[in-house]
Amino acid sequence: MKIVISYPPLKTKKGYPTLGQNRQFQYFRDPTFIYPVVPAIAATLLKENGFEVVWNDCLAENISYDKFVEIIQEEKPDLIAFETKTPVIKQHWKIINDLYKLRTPDYELRTVLFGDHVTALPEESFQNSLVDFVLTGGDYDFLLLNLCNNLQLEASTLKTENLEPGIWYREEGQIRNSGQFKLDHDLNSLPFIDRNITKWQLYAYKNGNYKRRPGTYIMSGRDCWWGNCSFCSWSTLYPKFRVRSVRNVLDEIGMLVERQKIKEIMDDCGTFPVGDWLKEFCHGMIQRGYHQKIYFDCNMRFGALSLEDYELMKKAGFRLLLFGLESANQATLDRLNKNLKLEKIIEDCKSATRLGLFPHITIMFGYPWEDWEDALRTLQLGRWLLKKGLAYTMQATLVVPYPGTSLFEECKQKSWLKTINWEEYDMKTPVMQTPIPDEKIMELVQGMYKVSFDPRFILRKLFSLKDMDDLRYCFRAAKKVIGHIFDFNRR
Ligand code: SF4
């Protein structure tokens, strides 16, 4: 049985869609390609279990639609799997319907969708397309293997009683499912990603997080031990947190360092594990000598680490720490359920930078309850952190209430949604009613990026250059900033 795991080409003039493994979808002029870790594990699992697997990322490989169809015609897969997301779901439905024209009496092509949007709204895809299966929850690697095992057993009639919970399918004209998904799989039982079948080089260079290249991604856990922020689309996929053993993660890092000659690793756990796990991990990095061979980056929460933790992380090879700042207003942080005190933001940025780590901050604008003064406070805090050198880089975005999040439910209750045309959930324009006009919100986002033209910011960056890697990194970052200013231009 042959399975294609695909990111099909998407027709758009808005830029490159940053779809794979992305909590926040955007079109970029200057694309960042994130290694789609869970789909890549799915490909590896399938291969290890005797299935033929084709990795087909048309977005990263810049493959045209005609070429994509040609590939599918040549490969003749039994099943095509797409990771999907709210702004592109309608395009995926159309592609699925198009692909079904390739079916013949001798060739039964089937399709499967997975991701946070279809986890929130699984029936919608059956109602709007000919899709055969939807996998809900974030363990779609395990679920895809389970589905393929069952399809292999019964080519014509699926033995639905053997399906794991979380799989949606059609039966006798009805939409049915195998129950609520469970996240009870053991992450340590998963194989390390087969980087070759998943074309690791596609994701090793065009990624703004890496200072040294080639870089790559891993995930130490799924997905965030906090998991309660009201806007977070991945808490829909992973309502429960699980972490791999330290040894398992270190072994994978060792393999990447030795075999792939990777120079920087980004861990894409929603929030990296802390406490004893983190300490053991840092000591392991040092004992095995990986701290001298690679930089290690991760997502982190403000208020989660002590000064000693930052110190140990620096020694262990950590470099970039990505923090969700979201807003400079305590009332907003509370409404978002961030469980964060405002003063911890500055305190942690100071601690991290003092110890030689590089905080990257993410900021959002367009909250329905924030007025101009509130938004301006966020802009000012973000700019101040960057100019003072307390934050190294940043990302400013619009808040998007993805289906499945509690923010989306709140929007529905309070009639804040301006549209439920999912294509508009792409950050090109605000989709929630706010007291601030849309143009002004877009200006705020651009205002954040324009701090890069501030002479003090530029001077600070110039004085911080230590080597050619720094220079190249700054050059790439500048290119990205200019791209982002255009990304947030109103249509
Ligand atoms: S801390 Fe980050 S990953 Fe965790 S729930 Fe909040 S937004 Fe999501």
Side-chain angles (χ1 to χ4, degrees), residues 22 33 150 243 317 428:
N22 209 341
F33 293 120
N150 282 290
V243 66
K428 286 286 170 199

Side-chain angles (χ1 to χ4, degrees), residues 176-440:
R176 300 197 198 279
N177 66 75
S178 56
Q180 175 63 26
F181 68 85
K182 290 183 187 162
L183 301 176
D184 53 3
H185 305 102
D186 177 7
L187 300 183
N188 293 309
S189 70
L190 286 168
F192 298 151
I193 294 172
D194 183 327
R195 306 269 160 179
N196 293 325
I197 62 158
T198 53
K199 305 183 184 172
W200 69 278
Q201 291 97 335
L202 289 177
Y203 316 97
Y205 299 93
K206 283 191 178 176
N207 185 304
N209 288 339
Y210 305 143
K211 178 178 161 186
R212 288 196 200 143
R213 300 178 297 174
T216 200
Y217 275 54
I218 61 167
M219 275 177 87
S220 299
R222 294 181 184 178
D223 173 57
C224 169
W225 46 263
W226 171 241
N228 281 311
C229 300
S230 69
F231 61 91
C232 182
S233 64
W234 272 34
S235 30
T236 312
L237 289 174
Y238 302 105
K240 177 167 117 185
F241 180 64
R242 286 155 303 153
V243 66
R244 293 162 58 190
S245 72
V246 169
R247 175 191 277 218
N248 186 259
V249 177
L250 289 171
D251 286 350
E252 184 175 21
I253 293 172
M255 191 198 77
L256 291 168
V257 171
E258 303 308 331
R259 216 181 282 172
Q260 245 84 31
K261 307 293 175 212
I262 291 294
K263 296 190 175 139
E264 185 150 353
I265 293 176
M266 168 78 207
D267 183 281
D268 206 22
C269 224
T271 305
F272 199 68
V274 292
D276 290 345
W277 194 102
L278 175 66
K279 287 188 180 65
E280 194 187 333
F281 175 79
C282 290
H283 289 304
M285 287 284 284
I286 297 165
Q287 275 158 15
R288 295 191 186 198
Y290 302 154
H291 65 307
Q292 289 168 335
K293 295 184 176 165
I294 54 157
Y295 284 138
F296 196 82
D297 312 320
C298 70
N299 298 306
M300 187 43 71
R301 278 175 55 76
F302 285 121
L305 300 173
S306 65
L307 202 60
E308 292 72 41
D309 290 328
Y310 285 120
E311 200 171 0
L312 183 59
M313 287 165 84
K314 174 66 186 166
K315 285 185 189 149
F318 280 77
R319 188 184 73 84
L320 197 67
L321 304 182
L322 289 76
F323 292 99
L325 186 155
E326 328 304 5
S327 168
N329 300 291
Q330 186 62 53
T332 297
L333 297 177
D334 295 343
R335 285 189 81 144
L336 295 176
N337 211 11
K338 286 292 294 182
N339 193 27
L340 167 64
K341 290 284 168 239
L342 201 49
E343 53 272 20
K344 285 305 286 178
I345 295 175
I346 299 177
E347 209 178 298
D348 276 14
C349 283
K350 281 185 177 166
S351 303
T353 48
R354 182 142 53 98
L355 289 161
L357 294 158
F358 295 86
H360 168 98
I361 51 171
T362 57
I363 280 175
M364 295 197 288
F365 295 103
Y367 300 104
W369 54 84
E370 281 199 348
D371 63 18
W372 177 251
E373 293 301 316
D374 293 327
L376 214 51
R377 259 193 295 279
T378 303
L379 179 78
Q380 283 161 352
L381 176 63
R383 290 175 68 104
W384 181 80
L385 288 169
L386 285 160
K387 281 198 249 177
K388 285 273 171 197
L390 297 174
Y392 187 60
T393 45
M394 66 92 204
Q395 184 186 5
T397 57
L398 297 181
V399 198
V400 178
Y402 293 108
T405 61
S406 42
L407 180 61
F408 184 77
E409 289 310 310
E410 192 181 359
C411 285
K412 282 205 301 191
Q413 279 164 19
K414 298 187 173 155
S415 303
W416 285 338
L417 294 177
K418 290 202 263 187
T419 175
I420 50 163
N421 176 4
W422 304 134
E423 282 171 333
E424 292 183 42
Y425 284 53
D426 64 357
M427 290 201 201
K428 286 286 170 199
T429 190
V431 294
M432 291 185 287
Q433 312 272 3
T434 76
I436 311 172
D438 288 359
E439 289 76 11
K440 289 279 171 201

Side-chain angles (χ1 to χ4, degrees), residues 38-53:
V38 185
I41 297 174
T44 310
L45 252 187
L46 289 168
K47 190 185 156 211
E48 289 207 345
N49 282 273
F51 294 96
E52 210 179 322
V53 183

